[in-house]
C-alpha cells in the first residue's frame, strides 16, 4: 500500500516536482555557458566571475520581471512553451538598453499543482529564449501553492544579471542634440497591457479565444499568445557595431513614457507616427473598447518594441545591420534642444500611417 505523506495530503506533490526537474534538465543544459559551474538541482547556481578578468571595469546590471496576465492566455489555450520568450524579453531586454550582456537567468514558477509536463514545457520556452539571448538558465524554483492557486493556475517570473564596461554604459548622458531615433518593430502586444486587452476583447466584447478575426488573419488566442521578440543579442551586436547612445525598451506605459526615461532634461524627442502603421491588434483593441488615443498609447507598445538613439549619419548603416539580423526597423524621430520645462520630454506627432 502506498504511503501518502502529510505534505501530499496538504496538496503538495514532491514527486511531481522531482519529475518536472528531470524533464527540464535537457532544456536547461542547452543554455549552458563556459562560465557555469555545476548542474541543475543544487541549492544555488554558480557563474565563474573569473570571466570578468579581461574587463577594464566590469559593472553588473540586474533586472527582474514577470509575464503578467498573459499567462492566463497560455493556460486557457494549453500552450505553455511560448511564454518563456515573454519572460526573457521582459528580463534581458531591460539589460541590453544599458549596453549590458546578459549572463544568466533564474526563474520562478508558482502553481496550484505541479504538472511535470506543463512545467517542463514552460521551462523549455525559457531555455530556448535564453539560447536566443546568449545567456545561461542558471537555476530556478517551482513552488506549489495549493489553496492559493487553482490546480491549473500558475505564474512565471524571473531575474537576470548582465555585465558591461563602466565607460560603455548606455544612457541619457550620451544622447546629443541632432541624434536620430530608430524604432524596432514589436511582434505584437509583447507582454504588457494584457489586463486592458483581456477586459476589452474577452470580457467587454465577450469574444472567445478560438474566435477567428479576419483583421488579424487568425484567432484571438493565437494573436494574444504571439511571443515577445527577444532583442538582446541583436541590439548588443548593434551597440558594438555602431555608435549607439541609448536604447529604450517599450514595455508597460507605452512608447512616450518609456522613451522619456532615457531622455536628458535638456533635450526633447519628437516621434512621427506617420513613419509606421501599428498592427491590426492595436486598432482592434482601441475600436472594440472605445479606448482613447492617449489611453491606448499609454498602455500598449503600438508596434514598437525598442527605440535606439544614435548619430544621424549612422542611421542607414544601422538600419542595414538590423535588417541583416531579421529585425524590421525605421527612423521614427529626432532629438532636439528642449527650450523650456513646458516642452514635453517626448512628443508624438501626426497620425499613424494606414499603409
Amino acid at each position: 500500500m502506498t504511503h501518502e505523506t502529510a505534505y501530499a495530503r496538504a496538496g503538495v506533490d514532491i514527486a511531481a516536482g522531482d519529475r518536472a526537474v528531470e524533464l527540464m534538465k535537457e532544456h536547461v543544459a542547452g543554455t549552458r555557458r563556459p562560465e557555469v559551474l555545476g548542474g541543475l538541482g543544487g541549492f544555488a547556481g554558480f557563474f565563474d566571475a573569473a570571466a570578468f578578468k579581461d574587463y577594464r571595469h566590469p559593472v553588473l546590471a540586474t533586472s527582474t520581471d514577470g509575464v503578467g496576465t498573459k499567462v492566463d492566455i497560455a493556460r486557457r489555450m494549453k500552450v505553455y512553451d511560448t511564454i518563456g520568450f515573454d519572460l526573457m524579453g521582459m528580463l534581458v531586454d531591460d539589460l541590453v538598453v544599458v549596453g549590458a550582456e546578459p549572463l544568466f537567468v533564474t526563474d520562478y514558477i508558482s502553481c496550484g499543482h505541479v504538472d511535470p509536463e506543463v512545467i517542463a514545457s514552460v521551462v523549455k520556452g525559457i531555455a530556448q529564449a535564453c539560447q536566443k539571448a546568449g545567456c545561461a538558465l542558471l537555476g530556478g524554483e517551482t513552488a506549489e501553492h495549493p489553496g492559493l492557486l487553482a490546480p491549473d493556475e500558475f505564474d512565471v517570473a524571473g531575474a537576470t544579471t548582465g555585465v558591461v564596461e563602466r565607460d560603455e554604459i548606455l544612457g541619457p548622458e550620451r544622447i546629443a542634440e541632432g541624434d536620430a531615433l530608430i524604432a524596432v518593430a514589436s511582434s505584437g502586444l509583447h507582454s504588457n497591457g494584457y489586463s486592458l486587452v483581456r477586459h476589452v476583447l474577452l470580457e467587454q466584447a465577450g469574444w472567445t479565444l478560438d474566435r477567428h478575426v479576419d483583421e488579424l488573419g487568425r484567432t484571438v488566442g493565437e494573436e494574444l499568445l504571439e511571443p515577445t521578440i527577444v532583442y538582446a543579442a541583436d541590439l548588443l551586436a548593434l551597440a558594438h557595431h555602431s555608435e549607439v547612445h541609448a536604447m529604450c525598451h517599450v514595455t508597460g506605459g507605452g512608447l512616450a513614457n518609456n522613451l522619456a526615461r532615457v531622455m536628458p532634461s535638456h533635450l526633447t524627442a519628437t516621434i512621427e507616427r506617420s513613419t509606421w502603421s501599428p498592427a491590426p491588434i492595436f486598432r482592434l483593441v482601441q475600436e472594440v473598447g472605445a479606448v482613447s488615443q492617449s489611453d491606448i498609447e499609454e498602455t500598449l507598445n503600438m508596434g514598437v518594441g525598442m527605440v535606439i538613439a544614435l548619430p544621424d549619419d549612422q542611421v542607414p548603416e544601422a538600419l542595414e545591420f538590423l535588417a541583416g539580423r531579421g529585425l524590421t526597423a525605421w527612423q521614427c524621430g529626432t532629438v532636439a534642444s528642449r527650450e523650456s520645462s513646458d516642452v514635453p520630454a517626448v512628443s508624438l506627432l501626426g497620425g499613424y500611417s494606414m499603409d
Side-chain angles (χ1 to χ4, degrees):
M1 183 174 64
T2 302
H3 174 68
E4 185 179 38
T5 67
Y7 213 9
R9 291 195 298 272
V12 177
D13 189 341
I14 292 185
D18 292 341
R19 170 64 176 157
V21 171
E22 287 301 315
L23 290 175
M24 68 178 70
K25 279 185 176 179
E26 180 181 352
H27 305 308
V28 175
T31 74
R32 191 179 181 91
R33 289 174 51 128
E35 305 93 336
V36 175
L37 305 178
L40 193 66
F43 286 98
F46 293 99
F47 191 93
D48 190 353
F52 303 150
K53 67 181 184 299
D54 294 328
Y55 282 74
R56 300 183 307 278
H57 189 151
V59 175
L60 296 180
T62 185
S63 175
T64 186
D65 211 332
V67 177
T69 59
K70 189 171 183 175
V71 297
D72 183 59
I73 306 299
R75 178 186 65 84
R76 293 167 64 175
M77 292 188 67
K78 301 186 186 304
V79 176
Y80 308 106
D81 63 351
T82 61
I83 56 172
F85 282 83
D86 299 298
L87 176 63
M88 288 297 297
M90 295 304 103
L91 292 175
V92 298
D93 288 336
D94 276 358
L95 293 186
V96 74
V97 298
V98 300
E101 175 194 358
L103 299 174
F104 57 83
V105 168
T106 54
D107 62 37
Y108 180 84
I109 304 172
S110 58
C111 57
H113 170 70
V114 172
D115 182 324
E117 283 70 27
V118 169
I119 299 301
S121 186
V122 172
V123 173
K124 173 185 176 182
I126 297 173
Q128 289 175 334
C130 280
Q131 290 177 293
K132 168 71 175 171
C135 62
L137 182 52
L138 199 58
E141 170 72 4
T142 300
E144 200 167 20
H145 293 162
L148 295 181
L149 296 170
D152 66 336
E153 289 182 338
F154 65 95
D155 195 17
V156 183
T160 185
T161 297
V163 63
V164 58
E165 291 280 12
R166 182 168 181 172
D167 61 2
E168 294 177 4
I169 295 174
L170 304 179
E173 63 281 354
R174 291 179 178 265
I175 298 182
E177 182 178 354
D179 273 0
L181 299 173
I182 289 177
V184 185
S186 68
S187 58
L189 298 169
H190 281 184
S191 191
N192 296 106
Y194 273 74
S195 294
L196 172 66
V197 173
R198 289 166 58 247
H199 173 71
V200 167
L201 299 184
L202 306 183
E203 298 172 15
Q204 185 176 321
W207 290 6
T208 58
L209 292 176
D210 61 359
R211 176 186 177 122
H212 186 275
V213 179
D214 289 342
E215 298 98 308
L216 303 177
R218 52 182 170 177
T219 68
V220 173
E222 289 168 338
E223 179 69 30
L224 299 191
L225 208 55
E226 179 67 35
T228 299
I229 295 176
V230 177
Y231 299 101
D234 297 318
L235 295 195
L236 192 63
L238 176 68
H240 292 154
H241 176 270
S242 303
E243 187 188 336
V244 172
H245 289 164
M247 289 188 272
C248 151
H249 188 197
V250 184
T251 56
L255 174 55
N257 288 330
N258 280 285
L259 182 55
R261 296 166 65 183
V262 298
M263 291 300 300
S265 60
H266 66 288
L267 297 175
T268 181
T270 298
I271 301 291
E272 297 287 348
R273 294 188 185 97
S274 62
T275 59
W276 82 97
S277 178
I281 183 61
F282 299 101
R283 293 194 294 270
L284 194 66
V285 172
Q286 185 173 10
E287 292 170 2
V288 172
V291 181
S292 69
Q293 184 76 15
S294 61
D295 278 351
I296 202 79
E297 290 184 335
E298 288 179 359
T299 307
L300 305 181
N301 66 57
M302 301 306 291
V304 177
M306 283 277 189
V307 177
I308 303 161
L310 75 177
D312 181 73
D313 62 1
Q314 297 202 19
V315 169
E317 186 176 0
L319 292 179
E320 183 179 1
F321 182 87
L322 292 171
R325 297 183 74 99
L327 293 175
T328 299
W330 64 94
Q331 183 172 351
C332 66
T334 55
V335 175
S337 176
R338 190 178 184 186
E339 302 300 334
S340 74
S341 59
D342 294 333
V343 177
V346 179
S347 297
L348 273 66
L349 304 182
Y352 291 109
S353 167
M354 301 304 293
D355 294 339

